[in-house]
Amino acid sequence: MAAMSVIGIDFGNESCYIAVAKAGGIETIANDYSLRGTPSCVAFSPKNRILGVAAKNQMVTNMKNTVFGFKRLLGRKFSDPHVQKELKHFPFKVEQRGDGGIGIRVNYLGEDNVFSPEQITAMLFTKLKDIAATALQTQINDCVISVPSYYTNAERMALLDAAGIAGLNVLRLMNETTATALTYGIYKQDLPAPEEKPRNVVFVDFGYSSLQVAACAFNKGKLRVLATATDPYCGGRDIDMALAEYFCQDFLTRFKLDPKKNQRAFLRLLQEVEKIKKQMSANSTRLPLNIECFMEERDVSGEMQRSTMEQLCSETFTRVERTLRAILHNAKLRPEDINAVEVVGGSTRIPAVKSLIEQVFGKNASTTLNQDESVARGAALQCAMLSPAVRVREFSVSDVQPYAVRLAWDAARGEDGDMEVFPAFHAAPFSKMLTFYRKEPFSVSAYYSDQVPYPDNFIGQWNIRDVQPTAEGESQKVKLKVRVNIHGIVTVASASLVEKKPDSSQTDNVDMENVNEKENRDQEAPMDTNGASQEQQQNGPDNQEVREDNMKGEPQEKQSWTQRVGQWFSGDKSKDKSKKVLVKTIELPIDARTHGFSQQDVNAYMEQEGKMQAQDRQEKERADARNALEEYVYELRGKLGAGETLHDFVAEEQRHRLVAHLDALEQWLYDEGEDQNRQVYSDKLSELRTEGEPIKQRRLEFELRPGALDDFALSIQLTNKAVDQFKAGDAKYAHLSEADIQKVMEASKNALSWVESARQALAHTPRHQAPPHTTHQIRQERQSFESIVNPILNKPKPKEKTPPPASAAPGDAQPDGQQQAPPQAPPQSHEQMDVE
């Protein structure tokens, strides 16, 4: 069961998919509506939260309390220009929180509540977690969640916070294109050998709100992402908006109706143009659009064909082409270097997009992958690889950091310094070591050097504490480990103080190292740029230690610093010009200031989420109890009607009284009983059952009794037949005595008399009265009868003794241990037998 809880979640802007790794492959889980896709919608009502499919179904009627599109708000501030642009698409209220963050105001439990996008995302994750737990019949904890490859540190940390609030342990945030590539590569049996030229495949993921393209190199058992190209603001919804704008102008001209002035009408229009967009992907003829009671109780209609749509969306398709060409530049590939182009995402079904792919890459778009589920499947595969509970075929995955990262610091000599630590499309996860010489605590800050789809290029600031000068007043050597971790988050993973002491001062946690006597301290700058660059070279593919760190990710961080310092201080081993010194490493505390919630905030949100889950469960139990009572009222009243199944099994006076009681209960359910607690409904149902169940039981008895009586009569008949066979001299019963048969006959006579009297009594008893004999009593009488006659009629025959053979004494055995068979006597004639 532990293996069953290894899941992957494709967290999409429009829909989410869940996949699970099982023995035999990857399976996508269906939700409580038997759908594989769960809408990314969270709605609120005066009584509970509504999540997933149910939330989307009531979106039009509960617009202001139905939240969607929140994936694009994660980790952002209210003043973000991108957020301000998104607000135009939302019918619900979004406001600025005290910390500058985003607050979504909804009416929940009859009160105004403000939730952050991270909390809303956690609510959706709670629903996905419940769907998986129900489908797999086990608790869900570990998972891998997909993220857009263009997400920055702030957005990735916000998603981790949301998963933490939902109680999910995220083993990895995996880029969506990388998950797709893993789904493609792990089942391929014809990949080139590791030493051969790799197979280059481009993956195009064009979804509802963004476009992502990745170029990947495949070898047997290995996937390496070469580069990515993205347009975070180009997706299928841009086509929907262009079509909606066209029909808005059309309706304004022909019907004098402006859908933009009515949020509900515009939302319905968006739903309809999405349908017609999908139809145009498979049909180039003119297609109709009809909406009943659109505005002012008027119906509207329109039409469009594919060529018109392509003209209206020409700007969107230009952006798609620009992104497709960017991947060739970023990956340094030519179209002829690419073996295949795989497409996923709903918007890749548009013929114009497929045409652009063929135009840019010179190859037809391949659709061998499931366009909706491939990301979730790849995430589930990655989760299985990271989980110790599942064994998966070895397949190495090397991703990239899409943006260049630089590190800045306050220099000891009053001069600020900075350097690019990770260039764009550097391998990830990956670590690099930087050497500083300091006498006091200092800080470093990380920034994106490229233009990123986020208003602030700040990544974080780390203050390294407890740095002091040596006893001689000199600077100490501090090693900083800068890492792009398995989630794609840039961080200063650790800081360590490196001390060198003479051999005589031997202490704990000390390694003996060789240090070159000619080490020139005069060349040491406030930051050892030479050392840093050398160590970056060591971090290249020729360095075994760092290559392992690159491939294995986080576990390498657990290696002690004393295991590494030998490489940093050892001189030329071919020359015996060194002396032994002791090297001691001391871990330094780090204060980090980065994006994301504090642990205290996460804990508070987790507690709030727990209370909301309890409220949801309580409301579900209340609704189930109310529905059970309502269902029983309708069912019982329907069966009590004239000609119905229960009509004859209740006295007329009781029936009229019971029907009146049921009518009163129905009226109560829709009046003051509309919103009672669960116990009230349960008590009324129990009270009603005390009247209804005896009626149902009488009907059930009436149906089952004839069969039970017939079975009893058949048993008596078979017994009498056996008595007749005995009297006829049948050899089957020849071993029975007259006394045995007499006992059988007497039991049969009594049983037959009981059955006849029971039939008469039941025939004269009205159906609405309790029967004198129940089915259970009839079966007991039959069992009692059969317990008397069966042992007698089934009594085994006595065994006949065989005389010993004449040729051997009794007990003599043959050499092989077997008794000798008696000789066969010759056949005798009838005359001889008569003489004898």
Side-chain angles (χ1 to χ4, degrees):
M1 293 297 285
M4 299 279 282
S5 64
V6 175
I7 66 167
I9 297 175
D10 174 12
F11 172 40
N13 195 78
E14 187 79 350
S15 295
C16 299
Y17 292 84
I18 312 167
V20 58
K22 302 174 80 169
I26 304 296
E27 181 180 316
T28 308
I29 296 173
N31 58 27
D32 42 357
Y33 286 76
S34 299
L35 301 172
R36 295 183 186 273
T38 300
S40 301
C41 285
V42 175
F44 300 87
S45 78
K47 298 174 183 176
N48 65 334
R49 300 179 301 178
I50 308 166
L51 309 171
V53 179
K56 186 167 185 179
N57 290 343
Q58 53 87 75
M59 181 187 293
V60 174
T61 57
N62 187 24
M63 288 187 308
K64 294 188 180 301
N65 294 306
T66 303
V67 186
F68 57 91
F70 45 86
K71 178 181 178 181
R72 305 181 66 80
L73 305 179
L74 284 173
R76 294 180 178 267
K77 299 294 184 183
F78 183 79
S79 58
D80 187 333
H82 167 67
V83 172
Q84 293 300 313
K85 184 179 177 183
E86 288 291 317
L87 296 186
K88 300 174 184 177
H89 303 298
F90 297 148
F92 48 89
K93 188 175 181 181
V94 182
E95 60 187 44
Q96 185 168 350
R97 296 167 69 101
D99 58 357
I102 299 170
I104 299 170
R105 182 173 290 275
V106 292
N107 187 281
Y108 172 54
L109 302 182
E111 300 176 355
D112 272 2
N113 285 264
V114 178
F115 298 108
S116 67
E118 290 78 9
Q119 285 179 280
I120 301 289
T121 304
M123 296 176 195
L124 179 64
F125 284 165
T126 298
K127 177 64 176 178
L128 300 179
K129 185 179 176 182
D130 288 344
I131 291 171
T134 302
L136 303 177
Q137 295 297 302
T138 185
Q139 204 60 30
I140 303 297
N141 290 314
D142 294 348
C143 67
V144 167
I145 301 177
S146 69
V147 295
S149 58
Y150 56 80
Y151 260 21
T152 61
N153 253 41
E155 295 158 304
R156 291 173 187 268
M157 294 184 79
L159 191 55
L160 285 178
D161 287 338
I165 295 169
L168 289 170
N169 178 36
V170 183
L171 301 183
R172 179 173 189 172
L173 291 181
M174 191 174 197
N175 290 335
E176 291 167 354
T177 47
T178 309
T180 304
L182 178 58
T183 305
Y184 170 87
I186 197 167
Y187 294 115
K188 291 291 182 182
Q189 302 295 327
D190 57 345
L191 293 177
E195 66 277 2
E196 296 178 6
K197 182 181 177 182
R199 176 185 300 175
N200 297 323
V201 181
V202 169
F203 295 91
V204 180
D205 185 348
F206 191 25
Y208 178 73
S209 61
S210 65
L211 170 62
Q212 303 174 68
V213 189
C216 303
F218 289 93
N219 289 91
K220 192 172 182 62
K222 183 179 179 181
L223 152 66
R224 184 165 57 91
V225 180
L226 301 175
T228 59
T230 62
D231 189 336
Y233 311 121
C234 177
R237 71 171 183 169
D238 295 299
I239 298 174
D240 294 349
M241 292 302 297
L243 299 184
E245 183 67 31
Y246 169 83
F247 282 112
C248 281
Q249 294 298 325
D250 183 39
F251 296 161
L252 187 60
T253 303
R254 294 193 294 125
F255 302 106
K256 308 303 181 200
L257 296 175
D258 188 0
K260 291 182 179 180
K261 293 181 179 179
N262 186 313
Q263 287 184 327
R264 181 173 283 106
F266 191 72
L267 194 59
R268 290 185 64 196
L269 177 60
L270 282 174
Q271 293 176 346
E272 291 302 318
V273 298
E274 185 181 5
K275 293 177 185 177
I276 200 173
K277 177 187 71 174
K278 293 177 180 177
Q279 292 172 0
M280 281 189 287
S281 295
N283 199 327
S284 60
T285 59
R286 190 173 295 276
L287 297 170
L289 179 140
N290 299 296
I291 310 176
E292 296 180 355
C293 272
F294 182 60
M295 286 178 66
E296 301 174 6
E297 297 184 359
R298 295 173 62 186
D299 301 340
V300 294
S301 62
E303 59 181 16
M304 182 176 284
Q305 62 186 101
R306 187 192 295 169
S307 58
T308 307
M309 182 268 286
E310 291 175 354
Q311 291 174 5
L312 293 172
C313 305
S314 58
E315 183 183 349
T316 300
F317 295 137
T318 301
R319 294 170 65 179
V320 172
E321 182 180 3
R322 188 185 309 134
T323 308
L324 295 177
R325 295 193 183 280
I327 192 64
L328 295 173
H329 174 267
N330 294 345
K332 298 178 175 57
L333 293 174
R334 298 168 299 171
E336 52 267 28
D337 297 329
I338 297 169
N339 296 77
V341 180
E342 292 284 340
V343 295
V344 295
S347 299
T348 55
R349 295 183 174 97
I350 299 171
V353 174
K354 293 181 179 179
S355 175
L356 284 173
I357 290 172
E358 184 177 355
Q359 180 182 329
V360 172
F361 299 108
K363 293 175 179 60
N364 290 329
S366 174
T367 56
T368 57
L369 295 172
N370 186 307
Q371 292 186 307
D372 297 320
E373 301 173 12
S374 57
V375 174
R377 291 171 178 268
L381 275 168
Q382 180 66 77
C383 192
M385 293 174 180
L386 296 173
S387 172
V390 186
R391 292 187 63 185
V392 186
R393 182 157 53 90
E394 287 293 326
F395 200 87
S396 166
V397 179
S398 176
D399 212 331
V400 294
Q401 157 65 28
Y403 310 120
V405 176
R406 64 186 177 89
L407 206 68
W409 60 90
D410 49 342
R413 297 175 182 174
E415 300 172 358
D416 292 341
D418 69 85
M419 69 178 297
E420 188 176 86
V421 186
F422 296 105
F425 308 120
H426 192 285
F430 209 92
S431 296
K432 289 191 177 181
M433 293 297 185
L434 301 178
T435 305
F436 290 83
Y437 293 93
R438 288 291 187 273
K439 296 181 180 180
E440 67 253 337
F442 64 102
S443 64
V444 295
S445 301
Y447 298 88
Y448 290 116
S449 7
D450 294 339
Q451 185 177 1
V452 294
Y454 195 81
D456 184 7
N457 65 354
F458 173 76
I459 294 175
Q461 184 178 37
W462 293 267
N463 299 316
I464 291 82
R465 298 192 286 115
D466 294 0
V467 181
Q468 298 177 347
T470 63
E472 295 80 14
E474 297 181 357
S475 297
Q476 299 247 46
K477 191 170 190 175
V478 179
K479 290 283 185 179
L480 247 60
K481 183 178 186 182
V482 184
R483 180 163 184 78
V484 180
N485 67 17
I486 198 168
H487 304 303
I489 294 173
V490 180
T491 180
V492 173
S494 58
S496 179
L497 192 67
V498 182
E499 293 184 349
K500 293 173 289 181
K501 296 185 178 181
D503 194 1
S504 57
S505 59
Q506 202 164 12
T507 58
D508 293 337
N509 193 26
V510 173
D511 285 352
M512 300 290 292
E513 303 292 344
N514 292 325
V515 178
N516 194 326
E517 288 179 343
K518 293 185 178 180
E519 183 178 7
N520 188 353
R521 294 288 297 174
D522 295 335
Q523 295 179 355
E524 293 174 352
M527 176 173 182
D528 186 1
T529 53
N530 289 332
S533 62
Q534 290 169 5
E535 284 169 4
Q536 288 179 41
Q537 293 171 8
Q538 289 179 354
N539 275 306
D542 295 332
N543 182 281
Q544 179 64 27
E545 182 188 33
V546 178
R547 185 163 67 246
E548 290 177 357
D549 191 26
N550 176 23
M551 300 306 293
K552 295 181 181 178
E554 293 301 321
Q556 186 70 17
E557 292 186 14
K558 298 179 181 178
Q559 184 175 358
S560 70
W561 290 89
T562 52
Q563 291 175 303
R564 300 181 180 221
V565 293
Q567 295 185 7
W568 304 330
F569 288 90
S570 59
D572 189 349
K573 295 183 180 180
S574 62
K575 302 177 183 179
D576 192 18
K577 296 182 179 179
S578 61
K579 67 178 181 180
K580 289 185 177 181
V581 299
L582 297 176
V583 178
K584 180 180 180 181
T585 59
I586 302 171
E587 293 291 335
L588 297 174
I590 303 176
D591 292 333
R593 182 173 68 87
T594 58
H595 299 281
F597 295 143
S598 67
Q599 189 58 47
Q600 184 178 357
D601 289 338
V602 172
N603 293 340
Y605 289 143
M606 285 181 70
E607 183 178 353
Q608 187 178 1
E609 174 65 23
K611 290 178 180 177
M612 288 189 284
Q613 289 182 32
Q615 174 64 30
D616 291 344
R617 283 193 297 269
Q618 182 179 337
E619 172 58 22
K620 184 179 184 302
E621 291 170 359
R622 190 197 71 82
D624 289 346
R626 185 189 185 284
N627 292 338
L629 175 59
E630 185 178 29
E631 181 182 353
Y632 196 83
V633 167
Y634 284 125
E635 179 200 10
L636 186 58
R637 187 174 57 186
K639 291 180 178 179
L640 288 173
E644 297 297 330
T645 54
L646 297 182
H647 181 271
D648 297 335
F649 295 92
V650 57
E652 186 174 357
E653 181 182 349
Q654 183 190 2
R655 184 171 60 252
H656 289 315
R657 182 179 54 78
L658 185 53
V659 169
H661 179 47
L662 293 171
D663 290 340
L665 262 179
E666 181 190 16
Q667 188 65 31
W668 176 83
L669 278 171
Y670 294 106
D671 291 337
E672 64 267 24
E674 176 71 28
D675 191 17
Q676 299 290 329
N677 61 45
R678 180 183 63 85
Q679 194 59 46
V680 172
Y681 297 127
S682 298
D683 291 344
K684 287 190 176 294
L685 180 59
S686 299
E687 179 186 345
L688 191 57
R689 282 180 181 275
T690 57
E691 284 195 87
E693 290 307 302
I695 301 172
K696 291 184 177 182
Q697 187 62 31
R698 286 198 290 272
R699 174 182 171 272
L700 183 64
E701 279 286 333
F702 179 78
E703 292 179 346
L704 295 178
R705 277 196 309 270
L709 287 170
D710 290 344
D711 289 344
F712 196 175
L714 178 61
S715 181
I716 296 171
Q717 183 182 353
L718 293 175
T719 301
N720 291 337
K721 183 178 180 181
V723 171
D724 292 341
Q725 287 177 310
F726 171 81
K727 292 178 179 179
D730 194 323
K732 182 178 179 181
Y733 301 106
H735 61 286
L736 301 180
S737 66
E738 285 288 346
D740 289 338
I741 293 301
Q742 191 63 34
K743 190 175 181 181
V744 170
M745 291 171 63
E746 185 176 350
S748 179
K749 180 181 177 182
N750 294 337
L752 184 61
S753 175
W754 188 93
V755 169
E756 292 301 328
S757 65
R759 286 188 191 274
Q760 290 182 6
L762 290 168
H764 290 87
T765 303
R767 295 183 182 181
H768 61 267
Q769 292 182 5
H773 302 289
T774 65
T775 304
H776 178 66
Q777 290 172 343
I778 296 170
R779 287 171 178 166
Q780 279 189 323
E781 286 291 334
R782 175 188 168 190
Q783 290 174 0
S784 177
F785 165 69
E786 290 177 346
S787 67
I788 296 173
V789 300
N790 284 351
I792 298 174
L793 296 177
N794 296 329
K795 186 185 295 183
K797 293 181 180 181
K799 294 183 179 179
E800 297 181 3
K801 295 183 180 179
T802 306
S807 60
D812 287 352
Q814 294 300 315
D816 61 358
Q818 296 181 349
Q819 293 286 342
Q820 183 180 8
Q824 297 291 327
Q828 296 177 326
S829 65
H830 291 286
E831 292 78 7
Q832 288 175 323
M833 292 178 68
D834 290 340
V835 171
E836 291 177 357

